[in-house]
PDB file of all heavy atoms in Angstrom:
ATOM      1  N   GLY A 299       1.244   7.491   2.887  1.00 90.00           N
ATOM      2  CA  GLY A 299       0.425   8.703   2.833  1.00 90.00           C
ATOM      3  C   GLY A 299      -1.106   8.426   2.666  1.00 90.00           C
ATOM      4  O   GLY A 299      -1.526   7.342   2.654  1.00 90.00           O
ATOM      5  N   MET A 300      -1.839   9.526   2.596  1.00 94.00           N
ATOM      6  CA  MET A 300      -3.269   9.363   2.458  1.00 94.00           C
ATOM      7  C   MET A 300      -3.832  10.261   1.293  1.00 94.00           C
ATOM      8  O   MET A 300      -3.072  11.228   0.927  1.00 94.00           O
ATOM      9  CB  MET A 300      -3.955   9.769   3.711  1.00 94.00           C
ATOM     10  CG  MET A 300      -3.785  11.190   4.225  1.00 94.00           C
ATOM     11  SD  MET A 300      -4.472  11.543   5.847  1.00 94.00           S
ATOM     12  CE  MET A 300      -3.069  11.132   6.854  1.00 94.00           C
ATOM     13  N   THR A 301      -4.941   9.861   0.781  1.00 95.00           N
ATOM     14  CA  THR A 301      -5.480  10.560  -0.319  1.00 95.00           C
ATOM     15  C   THR A 301      -6.124  12.031   0.289  1.00 95.00           C
ATOM     16  O   THR A 301      -6.219  12.070   1.462  1.00 95.00           O
ATOM     17  CB  THR A 301      -6.762   9.876  -0.957  1.00 95.00           C
ATOM     18  OG1 THR A 301      -7.712   9.498   0.019  1.00 95.00           O
ATOM     19  CG2 THR A 301      -6.145   8.488  -1.559  1.00 95.00           C
ATOM     20  N   LEU A 305      -7.416  12.711   4.037  1.00 97.00           N
ATOM     21  CA  LEU A 305      -6.749  13.841   4.729  1.00 97.00           C
ATOM     22  C   LEU A 305      -7.838  14.850   5.178  1.00 97.00           C
ATOM     23  O   LEU A 305      -7.790  15.255   6.365  1.00 97.00           O
ATOM     24  CB  LEU A 305      -5.786  14.582   3.820  1.00 97.00           C
ATOM     25  CG  LEU A 305      -5.105  15.783   4.323  1.00 97.00           C
ATOM     26  CD1 LEU A 305      -4.256  15.541   5.702  1.00 97.00           C
ATOM     27  CD2 LEU A 305      -4.245  16.433   3.254  1.00 97.00           C
ATOM     28  N   ARG A 336      -2.740  11.123  -5.751  1.00 93.00           N
ATOM     29  CA  ARG A 336      -1.851  11.857  -5.008  1.00 93.00           C
ATOM     30  C   ARG A 336      -1.968  11.401  -3.556  1.00 93.00           C
ATOM     31  O   ARG A 336      -2.998  11.085  -2.998  1.00 93.00           O
ATOM     32  CB  ARG A 336      -2.144  13.333  -4.970  1.00 93.00           C
ATOM     33  CG  ARG A 336      -1.955  13.998  -6.320  1.00 93.00           C
ATOM     34  CD  ARG A 336      -2.179  15.477  -6.331  1.00 93.00           C
ATOM     35  NE  ARG A 336      -1.702  16.121  -7.484  1.00 93.00           N
ATOM     36  CZ  ARG A 336      -2.380  16.184  -8.562  1.00 93.00           C
ATOM     37  NH1 ARG A 336      -3.628  15.753  -8.682  1.00 93.00           N
ATOM     38  NH2 ARG A 336      -1.947  16.717  -9.653  1.00 93.00           N
ATOM     39  N   ARG A 337      -0.783  11.280  -2.928  1.00 95.00           N
ATOM     40  CA  ARG A 337      -0.684  10.889  -1.480  1.00 95.00           C
ATOM     41  C   ARG A 337      -0.078  11.944  -0.674  1.00 95.00           C
ATOM     42  O   ARG A 337       1.067  12.474  -0.990  1.00 95.00           O
ATOM     43  CB  ARG A 337       0.148   9.647  -1.237  1.00 95.00           C
ATOM     44  CG  ARG A 337      -0.536   8.333  -2.016  1.00 95.00           C
ATOM     45  CD  ARG A 337      -1.674   7.852  -1.226  1.00 95.00           C
ATOM     46  NE  ARG A 337      -2.271   6.699  -1.891  1.00 95.00           N
ATOM     47  CZ  ARG A 337      -3.139   6.040  -1.343  1.00 95.00           C
ATOM     48  NH1 ARG A 337      -3.572   6.297  -0.243  1.00 95.00           N
ATOM     49  NH2 ARG A 337      -3.765   5.052  -2.107  1.00 95.00           N
ATOM     50  N   TYR A 338      -0.741  12.343   0.379  1.00 96.00           N
ATOM     51  CA  TYR A 338      -0.210  13.362   1.287  1.00 96.00           C
ATOM     52  C   TYR A 338       0.482  12.711   2.424  1.00 96.00           C
ATOM     53  O   TYR A 338      -0.024  11.907   3.178  1.00 96.00           O
ATOM     54  CB  TYR A 338      -1.439  14.275   1.842  1.00 96.00           C
ATOM     55  CG  TYR A 338      -1.993  15.055   0.644  1.00 96.00           C
ATOM     56  CD1 TYR A 338      -2.986  14.482  -0.187  1.00 96.00           C
ATOM     57  CD2 TYR A 338      -1.697  16.327   0.440  1.00 96.00           C
ATOM     58  CE1 TYR A 338      -3.628  15.201  -1.308  1.00 96.00           C
ATOM     59  CE2 TYR A 338      -2.267  17.172  -0.489  1.00 96.00           C
ATOM     60  CZ  TYR A 338      -3.152  16.495  -1.405  1.00 96.00           C
ATOM     61  OH  TYR A 338      -3.776  17.285  -2.399  1.00 96.00           O
ATOM     62  N   GLU A 343      -1.075  17.014   8.030  1.00 96.00           N
ATOM     63  CA  GLU A 343      -2.128  17.077   8.948  1.00 96.00           C
ATOM     64  C   GLU A 343      -1.716  18.279   9.972  1.00 96.00           C
ATOM     65  O   GLU A 343      -2.487  19.037  10.337  1.00 96.00           O
ATOM     66  CB  GLU A 343      -2.432  15.846   9.754  1.00 96.00           C
ATOM     67  CG  GLU A 343      -3.017  14.765   8.968  1.00 96.00           C
ATOM     68  CD  GLU A 343      -3.309  13.485   9.728  1.00 96.00           C
ATOM     69  OE1 GLU A 343      -4.025  13.561  10.736  1.00 96.00           O
ATOM     70  OE2 GLU A 343      -2.636  12.529   9.534  1.00 96.00           O
TER      71      GLU A 343
END
Side-chain angles (χ1 to χ4, degrees):
M300 61 184 96
T301 63
L305 174 62
R336 288 182 172 86
R337 297 283 178 176
Y338 293 81
E343 287 183 69

